[in-house]
Amino acid sequence: MKITPTISTLIFFLFVVFSWSCAASADDRVDGFLECLKDQVDNYTSISSLVYTPINSSFQSVLDFSIRNRRFMSASTPKPLVIITPECEDQIAPIIYCAKQNQLQIRTRSGGHDFEGRSYVSEVPFVIIDLLNFSEVTVDAEQKTAWLGAGATIGMLYYNIAIKSSRLAFPAGFSPTVGVGGHFSGGGYGILLRKYGMAADHVIDARIVDVNGNILDRKSMGEDLFWAIRGGGGSSFGVILAWKVGLVEVPETVTVFTIFRDLEQNATQLIHRWQYVAPTIDQDLFLRVIARRNTSADGKMTIRLSFNSVFLGGVDRLLALMQKEFPELGLVRDDCTEMSWIQAILYNTGLPIDSLEPLLDRYQPDVGYYKGKSDYVQEPMPISGFEGVWELFYEPDGKEAEFLLTPYGGKMAEIPESAIAFPHRAGNLYMVHHMIYWEAEQAQDEDKYIAWVRKLYNYVTPYVTKNPRGAFLCYRDLDIGVNNNEGVVTIETARVWGEKYFVNNFNRLVLVKTRVDPGNFFREEQSIPPLILRWTGKEDI
Ligand SMILES: Cc1cc2nc3c(=O)[nH]c(=O)nc-3n(C[C@H](O)[C@H](O)[C@H](O)COP(=O)(O)OP(=O)(O)OC[C@H]3O[C@@H](n4cnc5c(N)ncnc54)[C@H](O)[C@@H]3O)c2cc1C
Ligand SMILES: *[C@@H]1O[C@H](CO)[C@@H](O)[C@H](O)[C@H]1NC(C)=O
Ligand SMILES: *[C@@H]1O[C@H](CO)[C@@H](O)[C@H](O)[C@H]1NC(C)=O
Ligand SMILES: *[C@@H]1O[C@H](CO)[C@@H](O)[C@H](O)[C@H]1NC(C)=O
Ligand SMILES: *[C@@H]1O[C@H](CO)[C@@H](O)[C@H](O)[C@H]1NC(C)=O
Ligand SMILES: *[C@@H]1O[C@H](CO)[C@@H](O)[C@H](O)[C@H]1NC(C)=O
């Protein structure tokens, strides 16, 4: 019998083929991806031991190893289909190619500290490239430079600097386990912020794999892409392999102190006064203030401010400076300890200051639950503003919360907004970090805690930057806006969150993205979209 397909069966057939190819099951995509890798990699044995799928017993532990926020470690958190832990640069291009071929998204993870877990969570089928083994650090003390793999931690960088020189340092963050892949590409700051600016300000070269699998350095990537990955985030542009940084000089002796002041000790007047002092004082002084609720043994609640400082100099000069500029704080010699810069790093982490080895440990036990948000302040907040914040801290859900003010000024005010993609410079007195933490036992109340920190954020609206309201990419916050996960992302969708992170640098980031990844392969909830270059219809296809 001769079968003549009717139009309707043909349409049905086309429909089936079409929908099948668009929505191949996750299993098919994984099979396709793995088959593709076998074709692309000359010696598959050399990479197969680095490829994890859920059938490998260590899949879960490799996934969990770098998770730093337990909110994204639950059974309901979307999991990757594949995790790959490459060991050499030429293993990355085949992964990108095969992910593209099989419509899988890539998430690149370096240290896994993303506040919203974006390096290891996606709502669409995805593969993780986990760079934890790209962790080599080579310090050249003569040249005052270092090359570091994107998967190195800042602790590894600090360690390798310290064993070579006590006079060299690097202006990156507090926690040693933070990965340089996300940290430098988001900006990155720490105790040397007012003296030297952001970590990204000191990046002098980089290696990146682009969407076509090319390995580029500063020269071959071009100054616009090199500009973009210093503060514009890595996840929009490719897989960053390594950074070269310039090291900075610090004195042999620095001085640290942390002093506490409760409401009963004029804490509100002190934090109010702090706003006028900390951003303008000598840039050798980094003095931040952290507010938390504190309950005494007899159950009485108060707000305890912790004035936490590193001064790039000896105690005598520090005391003279504080006596002149901030006598109200009442700093005395006994509050102060002289030490080396690397000891100040350890001190601020809460590690014993006599051993460097813990800086190398990238594993972090006791990962907790948290939600963070950020703001910038350009005009001092009134006393009443702080009093309102304290009231929120007295609410039951404010028990484990933090309101952390980091002074800007100094070098930060000297670097132009457009120097690198990180934009928050002159005009900002300080950055605010709103944080709330909870424990596993309270996990079912997660929404309440998140609601609390959002309430705090809403409360401070009159006192912080507007149009756009500034935010710090390293403190990623999906509340401020997200892209659609699938389909075309418009510039206007991305502008909602993008101008908060990048202010006037947002448009230039879009242009860079349009040049380097016009098909928007490297994408996530807060990645820069390319301009859509519409076909004008003037030519025949
Ligand atoms: C405990 C803790 C302490 C912190 N302390 C500080 C601090 O003192 N100062 C500060 O500025 N910030 C701090 N942060 C924030 C931190 O800088 C950011 O979370 C930063 O993005 C972490 O980098 P990562 O490589 O560990 O993160 P990841 O989660 O691995 O990555 C973060 C983002 O960058 C992308 N990315 C990572 N690596 C690459 C790469 N190689 N190529 C392309 N894209 C990449 C990821 O896809 C993701 O979008 C802290 C965070 C935590 C959790
Ligand atoms: C392939 O890689 C494996 C593991 O790295 C190695 O033992 C083997 O010798 C390699 N084979 C060839 C043909 O290079
Ligand atoms: C995971 O399992 C596959 C199939 O057995 C194997 O080829 C691969 O080497 C395993 N991966 C790791 C990291 O052990
Ligand atoms: C990769 O890094 C992990 C974590 O530091 C380590 O346990 C493992 O041995 C490393 N693998 C290689 C091949 O270096
Ligand atoms: C609190 O501050 C006020 C105004 O600066 C000052 O007069 C008062 O003595 C201070 N009280 C304490 C306990 O320090
Ligand atoms: C109160 O503050 C002290 C000193 O900072 C601290 O040791 C204690 O844990 C705090 N108590 C609470 C309940 O936060």
Side-chain angles (χ1 to χ4, degrees):
M1 192 174 69
K2 193 173 153 210
I3 300 173
T4 318
T6 62
I7 293 285
S8 63
T9 57
L10 191 63
I11 287 173
F12 175 76
F13 178 73
L14 283 174
F15 174 77
V16 169
V17 168
F18 178 75
S19 53
W20 175 82
S21 68
C22 276
S25 77
D27 284 349
D28 290 337
R29 291 190 199 191
V30 173
D31 291 346
F33 175 79
L34 296 176
E35 280 307 312
C36 172
L37 267 190
K38 281 184 190 133
D39 286 348
Q40 293 296 313
V41 178
D42 294 339
N43 178 0
Y44 187 72
T45 335
S46 65
I47 195 174
S48 85
S49 61
L50 311 173
V51 178
Y52 302 81
T53 67
I55 64 157
N56 298 99
S57 56
S58 43
F59 177 82
Q60 193 66 41
S61 60
V62 170
L63 177 62
D64 290 350
F65 184 77
S66 293
I67 295 184
R68 294 289 174 268
N69 188 346
R70 204 171 278 271
R71 255 170 83 204
F72 304 105
M73 221 193 233
S74 78
S76 60
T77 306
K79 303 289 185 255
L81 296 169
V82 185
I83 306 170
I84 304 179
T85 57
E87 283 175 339
C88 47
E89 293 189 342
D90 59 13
Q91 291 169 337
I92 312 272
I95 304 172
I96 295 174
Y97 175 81
C98 295
K100 254 190 302 185
Q101 290 297 307
N102 292 281
Q103 290 141 45
L104 294 170
Q105 197 177 73
I106 283 180
R107 294 289 164 116
T108 307
R109 181 163 77 171
S110 290
H113 285 61
D114 194 273
F115 273 26
E116 301 271 18
R118 290 310 101 184
S119 55
Y120 53 88
V121 179
S122 174
E123 301 297 325
V124 304
F126 72 112
V127 172
I128 295 178
I129 298 181
D130 191 328
L131 294 176
L132 84 169
N133 288 118
F134 276 61
S135 57
E136 204 179 328
V137 178
T138 316
V139 170
D140 183 338
E142 269 322 56
Q143 296 294 318
K144 297 182 188 156
T145 60
W147 266 109
L148 37 150
T153 63
I154 56 177
M156 293 170 182
L157 173 59
Y158 295 157
Y159 175 95
N160 281 284
I161 295 171
I163 59 172
K164 290 232 166 133
S165 165
S166 57
R167 301 297 303 274
L168 293 175
F170 191 73
F174 292 86
S175 285
T177 55
V178 167
V180 300
H183 191 62
F184 294 5
S185 58
Y189 82 96
I191 57 179
L192 296 174
L193 174 83
R194 300 190 67 252
K195 179 76 173 184
Y196 290 114
M198 306 294 286
D201 291 325
H202 298 269
V203 171
I204 54 180
D205 204 340
R207 291 172 68 74
I208 186 171
V209 192
D210 72 5
V211 68
N212 300 314
N214 301 311
I215 299 180
L216 308 172
D217 65 3
R218 176 174 185 170
K219 194 148 178 268
S220 51
M221 81 177 78
E223 282 301 305
D224 65 341
L225 178 54
F226 184 60
W227 173 88
I229 57 175
R230 288 174 294 163
S235 61
S236 307
F237 302 107
V239 178
I240 296 160
L241 300 169
W243 303 106
K244 185 182 187 185
V245 296
L247 306 178
V248 301
E249 288 178 23
V250 285
E252 203 75 59
T253 302
V254 309
T255 307
V256 302
F257 68 84
T258 303
I259 56 178
F260 301 102
R261 294 290 183 262
D262 292 350
L263 292 186
E264 296 69 25
Q265 299 164 296
N266 259 353
T268 309
Q269 283 80 5
L270 289 174
I271 197 171
H272 181 257
R273 176 79 192 127
W274 172 93
Q275 301 175 100
Y276 295 85
V277 178
T280 55
I281 201 166
D282 189 319
Q283 56 190 42
D284 285 341
L285 184 69
F286 177 77
L287 171 58
R288 56 182 190 154
V289 54
I290 306 158
R292 295 190 192 94
R293 188 216 286 185
N294 197 286
T295 310
S296 58
D298 59 5
K300 202 174 150 292
M301 280 199 277
T302 186
I303 299 297
R304 173 156 297 180
L305 300 184
S306 135
F307 289 89
N308 166 242
S309 176
V310 178
F311 176 67
L312 300 174
V315 66
D316 292 332
R317 190 157 72 91
L318 171 63
L319 286 172
L321 184 65
M322 289 295 283
Q323 186 49 44
K324 180 160 163 276
E325 308 262 355
F326 202 6
E328 301 90 335
L329 191 61
L331 185 74
V332 296
R333 189 172 294 265
D334 269 357
D335 297 323
C336 305
T337 313
E338 290 187 333
M339 54 179 65
S340 65
W341 172 78
I342 194 70
Q343 288 177 321
I345 291 286
L346 291 159
Y347 165 86
N348 270 295
T349 307
L351 288 166
I353 64 167
D354 48 12
S355 159
L356 297 182
E357 307 303 320
L359 292 171
L360 295 174
D361 190 1
R362 71 185 305 141
Y363 183 66
Q364 213 187 36
D366 310 325
V367 174
Y369 298 75
Y370 68 86
K371 166 78 189 168
K373 301 175 79 66
S374 56
D375 264 314
Y376 285 90
V377 172
Q378 301 196 329
E379 296 288 333
M381 262 172 81
I383 292 270
S384 60
F386 289 108
E387 287 170 345
V389 172
W390 309 157
E391 273 173 39
L392 292 174
F393 271 78
Y394 285 152
E395 292 182 0
D397 301 332
K399 186 164 178 279
E400 299 292 340
E402 239 172 55
F403 185 66
L404 193 163
L405 313 187
T406 297
Y408 271 42
K411 184 76 181 172
M412 288 301 281
E414 294 165 13
I415 300 174
E417 179 183 12
S418 60
I420 61 171
F422 171 90
H424 306 288
R425 305 288 188 171
N428 292 296
L429 294 177
Y430 54 94
M431 177 177 72
V432 181
H433 187 190
H434 316 273
M435 276 294 250
I436 183 129
Y437 304 90
W438 60 96
E439 302 290 329
E441 304 84 69
Q442 292 121 28
Q444 76 283 0
D445 292 331
E446 168 167 321
D447 292 349
K448 279 197 332 187
Y449 296 112
I450 294 175
W452 184 92
V453 79
R454 287 177 180 152
K455 187 152 73 169
L456 172 62
Y457 182 80
N458 287 337
Y459 170 79
V460 300
T461 305
Y463 310 116
V464 301
T465 51
K466 342 185 150 34
N467 305 317
R469 184 170 183 169
F472 179 33
L473 178 59
C474 280
Y475 292 163
R476 191 198 296 281
D477 177 8
L478 296 183
D479 295 353
I480 66 172
V482 288
N483 297 342
N484 38 301
N485 279 318
E486 283 170 293
V488 170
V489 178
T490 68
I491 305 303
E492 293 324 304
T493 299
R495 192 181 294 284
V496 173
W497 57 265
E499 284 195 338
K500 296 187 174 86
Y501 288 142
F502 308 119
V503 196
N504 294 311
N505 291 336
F506 175 75
N507 287 339
R508 185 171 171 194
L509 285 167
V510 171
L511 295 180
V512 178
K513 172 74 174 184
T514 308
R515 178 176 75 80
V516 304
D517 183 20
N520 202 17
F521 174 69
F522 287 108
R523 64 185 288 175
E524 40 111 345
E525 288 79 352
Q526 290 180 337
S527 61
I528 305 288
L531 284 166
I532 313 302
L533 304 172
R534 281 180 223 284
W535 178 55
T536 60
K538 285 194 189 118
E539 293 148 22
D540 288 326
I541 298 173

